[in-house]
Structure formats: structure tokens, C-alpha cells
Amino acid sequence: MNATQARDEICRVGRSLFERGYVHASAGNISVRLYDGSFLITPTDACLGFLDPARLAHVDAHGAQISGDRASKTIALHARIYGAARKFHPDTSCIIHTHSTHCVALTLAMDEPELLPAITPYFVMKVGHVPVIPYHRPGAAEAAALTAQVINDYGQRGTPLRAVMLSRLGPNVWHDSPAAAMATLEELEETARLRMISNPMPSPLSPAQIDELRSTFNAHW
């Protein structure tokens, strides 16, 4: 995508997420990494349902504002995610952060290193492992550094990530386009919803079933 196409796609995805309840008020943000290494990101306190392509923040590779409204404070976190994730998925070009209800709810009632076990095949295939990053205030540099470290640690072990979960805040997901990142987010939130409404806790897929998904579908688990 060129910059104009990226601006339009950010706004389309933002509106879709807002209209379907994945984001509310001014929560959440979307960024795209352009070919020159600079970024487009939704402005601070912007509602994703009513974005203006011309007012999206454009920042350089070091986070300095080039044009548009003031960039979201999460640009530092996004930059660290791109830097870490692109070592393992070089095509990573979009990050979406939301406060998705069921994902956040799980972190309010759990203390586990990962958000979800492998309870559905599409979660295994489309999302994979989702480490939980301990709570830090929104925009904290410590959270950004820890997120980058976790992405690198998983990648070095042969398990590249597509998502992390910020405890009490929400997921960050990434992929090669806004549409693909949105699809990953949708699968993650739907799996979290299934977990929340299941009582007792559903049993995870067996190692043999996970291996079958890996060999057949290039699964992320």
C-alpha cells in the first residue's frame, strides 16, 4: 500500500471495529508502517469510528511528528513491536490495539503467563500464543520494553508471535495489512468470549491435534 491507501484502510478498519463493538469511545489505536520506515497512527484520543484520513498522525522512524494531529501516546510501544516482530515476520506492517471486552475480562480474573490455551483450531491456526504483559500505566516505557523482550524471546524459541495482551488494557495484534491484523484480532476476541461463556473450562486440544494443525495449515501455535 502507498500512504494514501494506508490512510484509507486505517479509517475503514477503524470504522468496522467501532461499529461492531471491538472498540469504544476513544479507546484503541491503529498504525501502519510505511515503506520508508515512517508510520501512520491514529491521533491521541481519536474515536476509531470517525477517523479522517487527512488527520492521521504521520511520524518518522524515530517517533518525531511529521504531520497530522498529535500521535497516540502508544507510538513508542508500536515502534518497539515493529522492531521486534519484523525480525521474525518481516512483512509486519500493521498493529491494532483495542480494549476488547472479553480479552480484558480474562486478565481481571486470571494470573497466567498466556491469555488462552489452544481451545479451538482457528485460534491455533490464526492467532497462536498470546503472552500476557503485566499491568503498567498506559503508554509506560517499561511495558514497551517488556513487550519487545517477550516477542524476541518467543521468536528465538521458534514461536513467532502475532499478538500480546496488556493486562487490564487490551490486546496488540500485528500482521502484514490492516485487514489481516483485524482478522487476527477478531479470532482472538471470539476465542476469549468462548472461554468466558464456557463453564467448566474447555479442555485444550491435544498435542497430537495441535501438531496436525501445524503440519496441515502452518498454524501459529
Side-chain angles (χ1 to χ4, degrees), residues 2 6 14 29 36 54 64 83 86 89 102 107 113 115 117 124 126 142 152 174 206-207:
N2 59 36
N29 43 75
D36 63 359
R86 286 174 63 86
H89 289 124
H102 296 90
T107 70
L115 186 65
V124 170
K126 302 298 184 181
E142 297 89 343
N152 185 68
W174 52 90
S206 70

Side-chain angles (χ1 to χ4, degrees), residues 132-167:
V132 176
I133 306 300
Y135 174 77
H136 295 79
R137 63 168 175 77
E142 297 89 343
L146 182 54
T147 297
Q149 178 185 325
V150 167
I151 294 169
N152 185 68
D153 289 347
Y154 270 74
Q156 292 290 347
R157 297 200 299 265
T159 310
L161 298 174
R162 286 292 189 188
V164 297
M165 179 69 196
L166 304 181
S167 182

Side-chain angles (χ1 to χ4, degrees), residues 90-181:
D91 57 352
T92 299
S93 300
C94 178
I95 297 169
I96 298 177
H97 169 62
T98 69
H99 297 183
S100 302
T101 302
H102 296 90
C103 286
V104 174
L106 285 178
T107 70
L108 302 180
M110 62 169 279
D111 184 19
E112 299 291 338
E114 294 193 5
L115 186 65
L116 289 158
I119 57 176
T120 71
Y122 272 82
F123 176 71
V124 170
M125 292 189 293
K126 302 298 184 181
V127 184
H129 294 269
V130 184
V132 176
I133 306 300
Y135 174 77
H136 295 79
R137 63 168 175 77
E142 297 89 343
L146 182 54
T147 297
Q149 178 185 325
V150 167
I151 294 169
N152 185 68
D153 289 347
Y154 270 74
Q156 292 290 347
R157 297 200 299 265
T159 310
L161 298 174
R162 286 292 189 188
V164 297
M165 179 69 196
L166 304 181
S167 182
R168 297 178 180 264
L169 290 173
N172 283 273
V173 304
W174 52 90
H175 219 293
D176 59 4
S177 70

Side-chain angles (χ1 to χ4, degrees), residues 37-41 57-71 75-76 79:
S38 64
F39 306 99
L40 293 171
I41 190 168
H58 185 199
V59 301
D60 68 17
H62 305 289
Q65 187 99 14
I66 297 172
S67 64
D69 291 350
R70 185 162 60 93
I75 184 59

